[in-house]
Amino acid sequence: MKRLNLTEAEFYDYYNNFESIEQDDWLTSFKEARQAAESEEVYYQYSVREKLLAFYYTWVEVLKRDRSYFVYSYNRLRQPVSRYTGHLALLKDAFYAFAMELVMEGRESKEIVLRPVISDKYVDGLWMQCLYILDFWVKDTSRGFEKTDTAIEKMVNTSFDLMGQSVVDTVLDLAKFVYQNRK
């Protein structure tokens, strides 16, 4: 604050502690990545799966600009991160809202199938996926973080394969039909 020629009281006009600065940094990285992905002209023509891929790829690029800081911040979190979000709390809230939008859009476009009991957990699963990707990126030592890119692709494709119409759904639908039409 002294270097900025500001008083400590002025700091408290914006933040009430240092963790709130970290929360704001994580949220800012999310907002910046989402805004950058959505600013691409083709983004709104993407499927929901492609929108999530675009977000993750962009988010990793945003995080890379200040990698040392974000790795340090992430490593300070208590484990498992899924139970304690600490300075990821604002990121979690923003991500949940984003994921809910994607799930709703996916339901409308039939990319995501409504299933009893588990459909309500899709957003939780996407948050766990987000944390996995973040953890993978923090630990990734591959050149250019190529393995993180691969992890993103595989995680998103697998999750949408699980949330979408699958062979199991087709078999269950056939079994239901056969059962209802037996003589």
Side-chain angles (χ1 to χ4, degrees), residues 97-118:
F98 174 60
M100 184 59 77
E101 289 174 27
L102 292 178
V103 168
M104 299 293 278
E105 183 180 335
R107 286 180 182 168
E108 288 176 21
S109 68
K110 306 289 188 224
E111 288 177 74
I112 296 176
V113 175
L114 187 62
R115 293 189 176 93
V117 183
I118 64 169

Side-chain angles (χ1 to χ4, degrees), residues 32-51:
E32 188 177 330
R34 183 172 179 187
Q35 184 177 35
E38 290 176 352
S39 71
E40 295 296 320
E41 199 172 300
V42 70
Y43 179 84
Y44 292 98
Q45 297 169 9
Y46 284 164
S47 67
V48 175
R49 178 188 308 234
E50 292 167 327
K51 287 178 179 178

Side-chain angles (χ1 to χ4, degrees), residues 84-100:
Y84 172 77
T85 54
H87 40 271
L88 298 182
L90 296 178
L91 169 66
K92 180 180 181 181
D93 293 343
F95 185 86
Y96 262 75
F98 174 60
M100 184 59 77

Side-chain angles (χ1 to χ4, degrees), residues 18 29 33-34 76 121 123 133 137 146 149 154:
F18 290 117
S29 74
R34 183 172 179 187
R76 289 185 46 250
K121 301 296 180 192
V123 174
I133 289 168
W137 174 75
E146 294 166 353
D149 289 344
K154 290 184 181 303

